[in-house]
Amino acid sequence: MADADLLIEELSTYLKPKDIERVRVAIEFSRTAHQGQMRQSGDPYVPPIAVARVLTPLHIDAQAIIAALLHDVWRTPTSLRAGREKFGKPVAELVDG
């Protein structure tokens, strides 16, 4: 099972379906923002799903999970403004903070 699927499965135990959908959108947003990027090892960069998965046992809300997924997106050509427009001011403030 892919990491993204594991994350969604874990979140499904406590988040509402509408929040799960917002997380799915954030995963895709992050994937798109990092498309073509490579790690120093030469491996493709993938969204920081592991970071979000660390938070799930704490039953962290959807906004914080989304911020975890997007925390490094602002270092790509994708702007904080685009993230704010898509995910709202609270998520953008978490990421920017």
Side-chain angles (χ1 to χ4, degrees):
M1 186 179 281
D3 283 346
D5 294 333
L6 287 172
L7 173 63
I8 296 301
E9 183 178 300
E10 292 163 355
L11 294 173
S12 294
T13 65
Y14 71 93
L15 288 180
K16 295 177 183 176
K18 68 177 183 162
D19 291 329
I20 298 293
E21 184 55 32
R22 290 184 66 224
V23 170
R24 288 182 195 276
V25 170
I27 291 169
E28 288 308 311
F29 188 84
S30 184
R31 281 187 177 140
T32 300
H34 291 291
Q35 192 168 12
Q37 286 185 332
M38 305 297 267
R39 296 200 176 272
Q40 284 183 330
S41 66
D43 294 331
Y45 184 90
V46 294
I49 293 169
V51 174
R53 288 193 63 214
V54 167
L55 301 174
T56 60
L58 303 172
H59 289 201
I60 300 295
D61 68 12
Q63 290 179 341
I65 296 293
I66 292 167
L69 291 165
L70 302 179
H71 78 269
D72 58 351
V73 166
W74 313 149
R75 291 182 240 170
T76 71
T78 303
S79 70
L80 181 61
R81 182 177 175 189
R84 183 181 300 113
E85 290 171 3
K86 187 133 187 111
F87 299 103
K89 185 178 177 181
V91 169
E93 287 175 346
L94 285 169
V95 173
D96 195 38

